């Protein structure tokens, strides 16, 4: 049975991983008769949001502990991952991802990716194992890889131009579509960059997961 590693960035779209995208990813992996294991960074989130009113609070929360909410406790420190045990990697999105796994939300065009996350993504790709990026997570790609990658974050013109300026090859995608870089086995889908509801998000995520499993 194929095993897929999933990187989470906390719990909640504004300050961690988008919960719908994360759960739909895990569901889709199970529907493909594959196994998943969740990982996160053992560090504090950039900030904490009250998701009822979208206001930032004075709380401090740990990404690994918060990710356990989504993973039902079954989550490990990303620094302990052995990529030889996994056939592929998937990273769901969420606004918090752009704060916690990389710093697009705070640094703008000069953003970088957490070195642990970037190194693990590169290792999967170097070993010809597929990597899937969902929602805003594809924005990490040009800051991870030293070569141009075909990708999509949907149809947002400003974000697409930013990624192109960093060396990516952006393709506009509808919410139910995926973009596949066949050479490097990197797959992307817009999800809640375009989705108006959970069903629309599921359609693209499910296609991405199926392709990731197929290529692994």
């Amino acid at each position: 049975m194929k095993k897929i590693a999933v990187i989470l960035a906390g719990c909640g779209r504004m300050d961690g991983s988008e919960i719908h995208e994360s759960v739909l990813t895990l569901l889709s992996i199970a529907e493909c008769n594959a196994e998943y294991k969740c990982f996160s960074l053992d560090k504090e989130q950039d900030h904490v949001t009250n998701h009822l009113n979208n206001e930032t609070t004075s709380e401090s929360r740990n990404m690994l502990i918060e990710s356990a909410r989504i993973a039902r406790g079954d989550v490990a420190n990303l620094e302990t991952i052995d990529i030889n045990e996994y056939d592929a990697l998937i990273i769901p999105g969420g606004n918090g991802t752009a704060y916690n796994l990389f710093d697009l939300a705070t640094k703008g065009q000069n953003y970088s990716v957490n070195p642990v996350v970037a190194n693990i993504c590169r290792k999967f790709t170097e070993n010809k194992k597929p990597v899937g990026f969902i929602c805003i997570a594809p924005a990490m790609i040009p800051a991870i890889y030293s070569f141009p990658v075909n990708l999509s974050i949907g149809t947002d013109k400003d974000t697409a131009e930013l990624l192109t300026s960093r060396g990516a090859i952006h393709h506009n995608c509808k919410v139910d579509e995926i973009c596949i870089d066949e050479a490097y086995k990197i797959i992307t889908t817009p999800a809640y960059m375009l989705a108006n509801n959970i069903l629309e998000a599921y359609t693209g995520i499910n296609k991405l997961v199926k392709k990731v499993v197929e290529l692994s």
Side-chain angles (χ1 to χ4, degrees):
M1 181 177 288
K2 293 180 179 179
K3 296 180 64 176
I4 314 299
V6 178
I7 298 178
L8 301 177
C11 180
R13 70 183 183 91
M14 296 302 295
D15 58 9
S17 290
E18 214 291 327
I19 297 172
H20 288 180
E21 292 179 357
S22 301
V23 174
L24 291 172
T25 296
L26 303 184
L27 172 64
S28 296
I29 292 171
E31 288 177 334
C32 289
N33 294 315
E35 294 181 350
Y36 60 78
K37 175 69 178 183
C38 295
F39 294 88
S40 189
L41 295 170
D42 186 8
K43 61 177 293 188
E44 298 303 297
Q45 297 177 181
D46 175 85
H47 66 281
V48 177
T49 300
N50 177 336
H51 283 73
L52 191 60
N53 57 22
N54 285 337
E55 294 181 357
T56 300
T57 75
S58 60
E59 295 177 60
S60 176
R61 297 188 183 184
N62 177 279
M63 268 191 276
L64 185 62
I65 293 173
E66 291 301 297
S67 295
R69 294 176 181 270
I70 296 175
R72 294 176 62 86
D74 187 15
V75 60
N77 188 331
L78 184 59
E79 294 191 26
T80 68
I81 190 172
D82 179 356
I83 70 163
N84 295 315
E85 296 181 1
Y86 297 92
D87 300 292
L89 173 68
I90 299 178
I91 306 178
N95 192 54
T97 300
Y99 283 95
N100 297 330
L101 300 187
F102 64 127
D103 53 17
L104 173 65
T106 56
K107 297 289 183 61
Q109 185 171 358
N110 297 318
Y111 69 93
S112 60
V113 177
N114 176 280
V116 175
V117 175
N119 185 51
I120 288 167
C121 289
R122 285 192 289 266
K123 283 184 176 179
F124 270 88
T125 300
E126 288 167 2
N127 284 274
K128 303 188 185 306
K129 297 181 178 184
V131 183
F133 297 85
I134 297 168
C135 188
I136 192 61
M140 287 192 279
I141 291 173
I144 292 174
Y145 302 103
S146 60
F147 43 81
V149 175
N150 292 283
L151 58 81
S152 180
I153 47 81
T155 58
D156 184 79
K157 185 174 182 290
D158 290 341
T159 306
E161 289 179 351
L162 171 58
L163 301 189
T164 300
S165 74
R166 291 289 300 258
I169 305 168
H170 184 268
H171 303 266
N172 283 344
C173 272
K174 297 178 181 177
V175 68
D176 61 346
E177 295 178 330
I178 60 175
C179 179
I180 309 166
D181 190 300
E182 298 281 359
Y184 299 109
K185 295 185 179 181
I186 295 173
I187 305 94
T188 53
T189 194
Y192 275 109
M193 290 293 288
L194 292 176
N196 294 307
N197 55 59
I198 193 170
L199 182 59
E200 288 186 355
Y202 171 74
T203 305
I205 290 171
N206 187 255
K207 287 181 179 179
L208 177 142
V209 171
K210 286 181 177 178
K211 179 55 68 171
V212 165
V213 173
E214 175 189 323
L215 292 176
S216 64

